[in-house]
Amino acid sequence: MPNQQPGLDLVFRALGDPTRLAIVGRLARGPAPVSELAAPLRMSLPSAMQHIAILEQAGLVTSRKVGRVRTCSIDLAAMSEAERWIGERRREWEGRLDRLGEYLKTIDGGERDGADD
Amino acid sequence: MPNQQPGLDLVFRALGDPTRLAIVGRLARGPAPVSELAAPLRMSLPSAMQHIAILEQAGLVTSRKVGRVRTCSIDLAAMSEAERWIGERRREWEGRLDRLGEYLKTIDGGERDGADD
DNA sequence: GTGTTAGTTAGGCAAATGCCTAACCAACAG
DNA sequence: CTGTTGGTTAGGCATTTGCCTAACTAACAC
């Protein structure tokens, strides 16, 4: 049963770290080179790079090296996939609640028994 | 700079594991007792419980114990928070692209210089 | 009472994570 | 060519994670 969208857990795992969350937050405002991303992080460059690598593996970020500068950008596809998955679960749950409400209205004048699921 | 919504990284971290993703997927279809959640997982009960505890700490799941049965439910608040955060970054990025497009149209008949950010 | 079922606590262990420093390579600056 | 800057590779290390088994508690069944 541990199977939903393949790789989706990678996306969430990549976002599951304050440093990486901050990097994505920064990149949403526009592309940036590695060193600019690393600057506000209290952390060595190699460590920052590791975080960026994880974001890339998850498909959240892409990067291209021009001279000796590697410029990173957000990749919307993975973001949207994650957003959609959550939204689908949410709607599933809300729909369930709605149907429950309808059912309760159906037996309105009848019993007064608490029913769930 | 590692500061966005407090606890948001906890939410993503909790979702960043196939087992826990599966549990949330299951719970979106309706509440369930611990042992029913654990059944499809190839894993001991204590291990499954640990995952549930993590989901609860992240605010993704709530649970109430009635007799000796603990019933778990999804908590939409944390889910929505995560969904909203992603959506905001996405819109931020898309807005940026749109403004870039407008700018490029502005200088339409003029230069042909690649501008970014 | 005894036994069974649902969950919990305690303790241990291998692997993964997140950080570091040191050394290295490649581009640009002088 | 020499020095500096941006990035990368290598290796090490403490902590956290994810799993386990064994032992325990609490409710319900007989």
Side-chain angles (χ1 to χ4, degrees), chain A residues 29-90:
Chain A
R29 289 183 172 71
V34 169
S35 49
E36 188 183 320
L37 291 177
L41 276 27
R42 264 88 108 298
M43 183 178 302
S44 69
L45 228 209
S47 298
M49 291 263 312
Q50 230 169 341
H51 284 295
I52 294 173
I54 288 172
L55 288 169
E56 272 195 88
Q57 281 165 24
L60 285 160
V61 162
T62 57
S63 71
R64 278 190 26 199
K65 199 168 179 177
V66 170
R68 55 183 161 168
V69 175
R70 176 173 300 276
T71 302
C72 304
S73 304
I74 263 193
D75 188 340
L76 240 41
M79 299 272 287
S80 301
E81 190 192 3
E83 191 184 9
R84 220 187 60 240
W85 187 86
I86 297 178
E88 277 167 12
R89 297 323 122 200
R90 186 170 52 72

Side-chain angles (χ1 to χ4, degrees), chain B residues 80-98:
Chain B
S80 301
E81 190 192 3
E83 191 185 8
R84 221 188 58 240
W85 186 87
I86 297 178
E88 278 167 11
R89 298 322 121 201
R90 187 171 52 72
R91 280 185 291 280
E92 206 170 344
W93 176 259
E94 282 169 349
R96 217 192 66 86
L97 287 188
D98 287 352

Side-chain angles (χ1 to χ4, degrees), chain A residues 3 15-16 20 34 36 38-39 50 59-60 87 94 103 111:
Chain A
N3 247 330
L15 292 174
R20 292 194 289 269
V34 169
E36 188 183 320
Q50 230 169 341
L60 285 160
E94 283 170 349
Y103 170 69
E111 350 284 78

Side-chain angles (χ1 to χ4, degrees), chain B residues 5-22:
Chain B
Q5 220 90 29
L8 186 56
D9 62 305
L10 266 190
V11 175
F12 284 127
R13 180 181 293 247
L15 292 174
D17 175 281
T19 300
R20 292 194 290 268
L21 214 47

